[in-house]
Amino acid sequence: MAFPEKSRPVDEVIAELDATRKGDVRWEDGRTFGMIYSGGPEVHEAAERAAQLFLHSNALNTKAFPSLGRIQSDVVGWTAEMMHGPAETAGFLTSGGTESILCAVLAARERGRTERAIENPHMIVSESAHAAFHKAAHLFGIRLSKVKVRPDWTADVAAMAEAATPETVLVVGSAPQYPQGVVDDIPAIAALAQSIGANCHVDACMGGFVLPFVERLGRPVPLWDFRVEGVTSISADVHKLGYAPKGVSVILYRNKTLRAYQTFVFDDWLGGFYASPSLQGTRPAMPYAAAWAVMQTLGMEGYLRLTAATLENADRMRAGIRAIDGLRVLGDGQYHLIAMAADPASERQIDVFALGDALLKRGWFHDRQGPPESLHSTVSNSNTGVIDAYLKDLAECAREVGTTRAADRSTNYATLE
């Protein structure tokens, strides 16, 4: 498509833009298990009205836009409170989980350089840790050790301890990890990190706006947040089950000293003082304002209601999957993440990728993942009211695919083009 030579009417432009969405997933119908999370019409209205107010604001400079300084401070403060941060907890807003993770890894590297004179930094993750940690290691020149998970899919802390070196600056745990939805042994990981003088980052991008409310609802949740001694930083995405629109995440540190290691301050160019709290320079105000509005609109009451609906949806989905011969749920996830795989003990060997293709034809979207090959679901309030229909289609599709095997074996958490 060539760049237009002439101006066009706004209505015509918007109509064409709207038409491009024809092939997009049907998240509004609750048939997408991931990527978009709906808190309902009132939450949508709050986010959209806040976004309109701050459409043209710029968080590059909070002296020009002090409102954005307050918004960031409020959202960070509310999130820190949920995660039992001490009074000195500090943080920033970022564009999403990947940026929050990058910031945490950068801070660990810089702390290692400054406090321990480490020139060849090293970090330890499990094979279930988010791919963004590998991206961070690549970008920041950090050697990464990846250890296997245990049979229950949690990080093998003993293997992490064996991988530790005098140059280890970071040890990572997940709450929960994305692929199978289980929570790592954060107290053991934090104790390991503390024993070698390294940072311990808890990736709660998926669980940060779920686990605090699950705990309040009375379901057991292992300790994972700042109540655990040795945890130095936590990432949590407001744009996942915080129900804010994309893209806004929170990166928290136990104190401002730790937070300072992720920042960049420079005063030696002709443009004057330059400071970046995160990786971006110009930062969009819209997602920050929308997050503030959504959190205020829902409050604790609203989040408890949405989390209760999410847990009910996920529990029913897990039970329905287990009731179908040839399918199983990987791990003993208790919350909102589900990995559905073929059951090797069954005579009925189902190719889950072929099953996913059949479900997609009926409008149900899952991420493919592996190894092992499985269909991933992030269940949320968005899926309220459709679980029965989904399980009916799942059973029918399982019968339809039989022993058919999909030719395409690719996975699709994220794409380039």
Side-chain angles (χ1 to χ4, degrees):
M1 183 177 181
F3 188 83
E5 292 290 336
K6 296 183 178 180
S7 302
R8 297 173 62 188
V10 172
D11 287 347
E12 180 183 304
V13 171
I14 297 302
E16 181 175 342
L17 192 62
D18 188 35
T20 66
R21 304 191 303 159
K22 183 179 179 180
D24 291 355
V25 293
R26 294 158 54 184
W27 67 267
E28 298 97 330
D29 299 340
R31 301 173 78 88
T32 301
F33 293 103
M35 296 186 292
I36 304 293
Y37 311 100
S38 171
E42 188 177 28
V43 172
H44 294 177
E45 180 185 0
E48 289 164 8
R49 290 174 66 178
Q52 189 71 32
L53 280 176
F54 286 85
L55 177 64
H56 302 293
S57 299
N58 185 350
L60 174 69
N61 189 327
T62 55
K63 288 187 179 295
F65 295 96
S67 59
L68 298 178
R70 179 197 160 176
I71 286 170
Q72 175 169 254
S73 178
D74 286 348
V75 173
V76 167
W78 299 332
T79 306
E81 181 182 354
M82 287 196 308
M83 294 171 195
H84 299 93
E88 59 270 25
T89 301
F92 292 118
L93 297 181
T94 72
S95 61
T98 291
E99 188 183 4
S100 288
I101 287 170
L102 292 177
C103 288
V105 175
L106 176 63
R109 187 192 73 176
E110 294 304 291
R111 182 188 179 204
R113 281 180 175 175
T114 302
E115 298 183 10
R116 297 164 59 198
I118 291 176
E119 294 299 324
N120 298 297
H122 169 251
M123 60 188 282
I124 306 169
V125 303
S126 75
E127 60 184 334
S128 61
H130 197 278
F133 290 102
H134 296 263
K135 181 177 184 176
H138 170 73
L139 291 174
F140 301 141
I142 301 174
R143 186 167 61 86
L144 182 146
S145 291
K146 180 180 71 173
V147 305
K148 295 287 187 180
V149 293
R150 293 162 46 86
D152 64 359
W153 303 101
T154 61
D156 186 335
V157 184
M160 287 180 154
E162 291 178 4
T165 78
E167 295 180 320
T168 301
V169 297
L170 178 65
V171 188
V172 172
S174 302
Q177 46 94 303
Y178 176 84
Q180 291 81 33
V182 295
V183 177
D184 288 335
D185 186 348
I186 301 302
I189 292 172
L192 169 61
Q194 195 170 34
S195 72
I196 59 176
N199 280 20
C200 172
H201 180 74
V202 177
D203 176 17
C205 289
M206 286 302 313
F209 281 81
V210 176
L211 297 182
F213 310 119
V214 171
E215 185 175 351
R216 283 176 176 259
L217 289 168
R219 184 171 296 200
V221 177
L223 282 177
W224 62 277
D225 58 16
F226 284 118
R227 286 172 290 184
V228 178
E229 186 179 355
V231 169
T232 53
S233 56
I234 300 175
S235 50
D237 288 0
V238 197
H239 69 205
K240 289 191 172 75
L241 275 77
Y243 295 101
K246 304 294 184 286
V248 56
S249 175
V250 179
I251 176 67
L252 295 173
Y253 294 89
R254 190 172 284 276
N255 55 55
K256 285 188 175 182
T257 300
L258 291 168
R259 186 186 71 168
Y261 288 118
Q262 85 162 46
T263 62
F264 180 79
V265 178
F266 187 70
D267 196 17
D268 190 22
W269 74 306
L270 300 185
F273 181 80
Y274 175 91
S276 294
S278 55
L279 299 183
Q280 295 176 301
T282 291
R283 295 186 293 156
M286 277 194 305
Y288 299 174
W292 190 97
V294 166
M295 293 177 76
Q296 282 289 299
T297 299
L298 284 171
M300 184 60 67
E301 177 186 27
Y303 278 115
L304 290 174
R305 172 174 50 82
L306 295 180
T307 303
T310 296
L311 293 176
E312 181 181 353
N313 292 339
D315 289 346
R316 290 172 59 205
M317 191 168 169
R318 273 187 287 265
I321 292 169
R322 289 173 175 142
I324 297 174
D325 181 31
L327 296 177
R328 63 172 174 152
V329 174
L330 299 178
D332 188 28
Q334 298 294 311
Y335 312 118
H336 60 301
L337 302 176
I338 300 174
M340 176 171 60
D343 183 358
S346 173
E347 293 183 3
R348 184 186 187 192
Q349 286 301 296
I350 298 173
D351 175 20
V352 290
F353 287 177
L355 178 61
D357 291 345
L359 287 165
L360 185 59
K361 290 178 181 177
R362 299 189 183 206
W364 302 102
F365 183 87
H366 300 267
D367 282 333
R368 289 178 170 198
Q369 65 176 14
E373 292 177 345
S374 56
L375 299 179
H376 188 276
S377 297
T378 303
V379 183
S380 71
N381 178 70
S382 304
N383 310 116
T384 300
V386 304
I387 299 299
D388 288 343
Y390 170 77
L391 293 174
K392 178 176 180 292
D393 281 351
L394 177 64
E396 291 177 359
C397 288
R399 287 193 296 270
E400 287 174 7
V401 300
T403 58
T404 302
R405 186 169 173 81
D408 179 9
R409 310 310 298 172
S410 63
T411 57
N412 62 341
Y413 176 86
T415 57
L416 283 179
E417 300 283 344

